[in-house]
Amino acid sequence: MASNLPLPVPPRTPTPPPDDPPSVSGHLSHHFDRNSLSPMVDSFPLQRGPVDPEDRNRLSPTRASFNTSNSTDIVQQNGQNDDVSPGPFNFQTTTMAKSPVVKSNIGQRRGHKYKHSSISHQIFLEPPPRAPLALPNSLPIPTLKECRASMSVDQKRRLWWSVCHMFVAAYTLWSAHGSLAMTALSHLILFDSLGALLCVAVDVLGNFEVWKRSSIRHPFGLERAEVLAGFAMCVLLLFMGMDLISHNLQHFLESSGHEPHHAHVHERVSPGSVDFTALLAISSTLVSAIGLRNHGRIGKAMRFGYIDSLPSVLSNPSHFLTLSCSTLLLLLPLVSIRLYTWLDVMLSSTIAISMCVIGVRLVKTLGSMLLMSYSDQGVSDVVRDIEADPCVFGVDDARFWQVHYGLCMANLKLRVSGSEENLARLRERISSLIRNRLGGGYGGAGGGQKWEISLQFTIERT
């Protein structure tokens, strides 16, 4: 009896819902039977006729071998047409577009840029706006045409005089045949004329803002260029002194019987030529020293204790050497021939050695100035006086350095104790001590350099 009963047909696999949700009207127009697929309700139709056991595709889910009462309604519900073969996996075919998909960036972040990310706004903050620097980055350097256009009448007059001073040096060298002392004097006059020309160039460059105003490129202006030019002049003076020494040695070997490679004829110059050259050298030196104040800054940077008490013109070693040599030349025509030879060689050797001594001293002084250091005396005495103050426990650091001829700087770090009033009085005392001891005071005769002083106090608790 059990074998004659028909086999139940398996339920149809439901079709997955479409991507687009059905409209509200579609839900209202169709009626769904909840018990249509329930195994507890006998809603499956009985199959008429015997079942063929050989039919293997009868229960295949890919064959439409079963039909439910509401299969038509389900097909109509899914929106399928008659062209689509009915089956359990009757998904609708979708055609992909061949054109690239345009992606919209509205409301989206582009990349991982820290500055524009949402989290970085709390970590990487924008720097606060800063005020522009008080110093300019650089200032225009004047050309030769601009310097010539900015010259005043007095500056042009001084320029022509420095050129005339060079002609005096050339005339002295031309008329110095037969006198080593006049040859040495011509070298000194050449050095003085170059100093006069440098003074005119400094005065003309002072017409422009770049000379004194500080900038990032030139923190102290172009005034240090004057130090560099003076250093070159001192090197030239040193080499001229060495050349005179070698010439004197050659003359000494010739007079002692050594045969020279090239004959040198040394005749005595005429008395009139010596007198005229000496007077011309004295007058030109005085005009340049008083009118142009050439070598004035060099005289302040280099002091000799032996001539410090002399008048302002003679206290400068360059002027003193030129004037003394020119004055001694006036004595040469008054002596005999034998004495003239020895006096000429002795005077020339003295001038050459003096030029070397002054050159070495100036090279050392200006070289230390170029290296931003201070080479004058009195620094140890100033530090000793500062340490002797009762408010000072000790000097941790003391730096003294000179920028150019007119500016020096002092940086000190001290350990002190006392009230604010006593510390303010200590600052004034230290500043006055440095200016009076090292700079000679403002307007004083000891140099008159400007001192910029910075003090750092560390308060000691007692």
Side-chain angles (χ1 to χ4, degrees):
M1 293 297 291
S3 61
N4 294 330
L5 294 178
L7 295 176
V9 181
R12 183 174 180 269
T13 304
T15 304
D19 295 335
D20 297 331
S23 60
V24 180
S25 60
H27 285 285
L28 297 178
S29 60
H30 297 279
H31 175 72
F32 296 97
D33 188 3
R34 298 180 180 179
N35 298 324
S36 60
L37 299 179
S38 177
M40 304 302 296
V41 180
D42 189 11
S43 60
F44 301 100
L46 297 177
Q47 184 177 3
R48 301 300 179 181
V51 180
D52 188 6
E54 299 296 333
D55 190 2
R56 297 179 181 179
N57 296 327
R58 185 175 61 84
L59 299 180
S60 175
T62 59
R63 298 293 299 270
S65 58
F66 56 90
N67 186 16
T68 59
S69 60
N70 54 353
S71 63
T72 306
D73 296 337
I74 296 175
V75 172
Q76 293 177 358
Q77 176 186 351
N78 291 333
Q80 295 177 349
N81 298 327
D82 296 338
D83 297 336
V84 182
S85 60
F89 301 100
N90 51 357
F91 299 106
Q92 188 175 3
T93 306
T94 304
T95 304
M96 300 297 295
K98 295 183 180 181
S99 59
V101 178
V102 180
K103 183 179 179 181
S104 176
N105 294 326
I106 299 177
Q108 298 181 5
R109 294 198 308 269
R110 298 180 59 186
H112 295 281
K113 296 182 179 180
Y114 295 106
K115 183 178 179 181
H116 299 285
S117 62
S118 58
I119 301 178
S120 63
H121 285 294
Q122 303 175 3
I123 302 175
F124 302 97
L125 300 178
E126 291 286 343
R130 295 186 303 177
L133 295 176
L135 295 178
N137 188 18
S138 62
L139 293 172
I141 298 178
T143 60
L144 184 61
K145 183 178 180 181
E146 293 174 347
C147 291
R148 188 170 60 250
S150 66
M151 292 177 62
S152 61
V153 178
D154 182 63
Q155 291 172 351
K156 292 180 180 179
R157 190 183 301 116
R158 296 171 64 184
L159 175 63
W160 285 113
W161 168 249
S162 62
V163 175
C164 294
H165 202 167
M166 287 186 177
F167 278 111
V168 172
Y171 172 77
T172 306
L173 182 62
W174 175 74
S175 61
H177 296 286
S179 175
L180 294 176
M182 290 185 63
T183 304
L185 180 62
S186 65
H187 288 64
L188 288 177
I189 298 176
L190 177 62
F191 180 71
D192 290 341
S193 63
L194 291 176
L197 184 62
L198 178 61
C199 290
V200 176
V202 169
D203 196 13
V204 173
L205 290 174
N207 300 332
F208 299 91
E209 190 179 16
V210 69
W211 183 253
K212 289 184 175 296
R213 186 179 176 185
S214 301
S215 61
I216 297 178
R217 186 172 183 179
H218 302 285
F220 305 102
L222 284 181
E223 289 191 79
R224 284 177 60 82
E226 182 184 4
V227 182
L228 184 61
F231 182 81
M233 286 175 50
C234 297
V235 172
L236 178 62
L237 180 66
L238 179 61
F239 275 99
M240 287 190 300
M242 292 181 177
D243 178 69
L244 288 175
I245 291 177
S246 65
H247 196 70
N248 290 332
L249 289 177
Q250 182 180 2
H251 179 73
F252 175 76
L253 293 176
E254 290 177 4
S255 61
S256 62
H258 181 74
E259 183 178 357
H261 295 284
H262 303 283
H264 290 82
V265 180
H266 297 281
E267 298 178 356
R268 181 174 179 176
V269 294
S270 60
S273 176
V274 173
D275 293 340
F276 178 76
T277 305
L279 292 176
L280 190 62
I282 292 174
S283 60
S284 61
T285 303
L286 289 176
V287 171
S288 296
I290 297 174
L292 275 71
R293 302 187 64 85
N294 64 330
H295 306 311
R297 296 179 179 86
I298 291 180
K300 292 179 180 180
M302 182 189 62
R303 305 171 189 172
F304 283 92
Y306 302 103
I307 60 176
D308 242 358
S309 58
L310 296 177
S312 59
V313 176
L314 296 178
S315 61
N316 192 311
S318 300
H319 299 157
F320 178 80
L321 187 59
T322 305
L323 293 175
S324 60
C325 178
S326 302
T327 305
L328 291 176
L329 277 178
L330 296 175
L331 301 177
L332 287 180
L334 304 179
V335 299
S336 61
I337 298 178
R338 181 182 296 272
L339 187 59
Y340 166 82
T341 304
W342 286 101
L343 186 60
D344 183 69
V345 173
M346 184 182 301
L347 186 58
S348 174
S349 301
T350 304
I351 294 175
I353 295 174
S354 301
M355 290 173 65
C356 291
V357 171
I358 295 176
V360 170
R361 182 79 175 270
L362 284 175
V363 165
K364 180 181 177 181
T365 303
L366 299 183
S368 63
M369 196 180 301
L370 290 175
L371 295 176
M372 306 291 281
S373 62
Y374 187 74
S375 60
D376 206 350
Q377 304 294 328
V379 174
S380 58
D381 297 335
V382 170
V383 175
R384 191 181 305 111
D385 291 342
I386 293 174
E387 290 177 342
D389 194 278
C391 296
V392 178
F393 279 90
V395 179
D396 293 338
D397 193 9
R399 301 293 179 90
F400 297 85
W401 44 297
Q402 187 170 1
V403 181
H404 48 76
Y405 293 117
L407 179 61
C408 300
M409 303 187 73
N411 304 324
L412 292 93
K413 185 178 181 181
L414 311 175
R415 289 181 287 108
V416 298
S417 66
S419 61
E420 295 183 0
E421 184 179 357
N422 293 335
L423 295 182
R425 191 181 299 111
L426 179 62
R427 287 180 182 272
E428 295 179 0
R429 180 180 177 275
I430 293 176
S431 300
S432 177
L433 179 65
I434 292 175
R435 292 190 179 103
N436 292 329
R437 290 284 187 87
L438 301 180
Y442 288 135
Q449 292 98 347
K450 180 183 176 182
W451 278 86
E452 291 186 1
I453 303 166
S454 62
L455 303 174
Q456 180 180 353
F457 289 166
T458 303
I459 308 298
E460 294 286 341
R461 300 299 178 183
T462 57

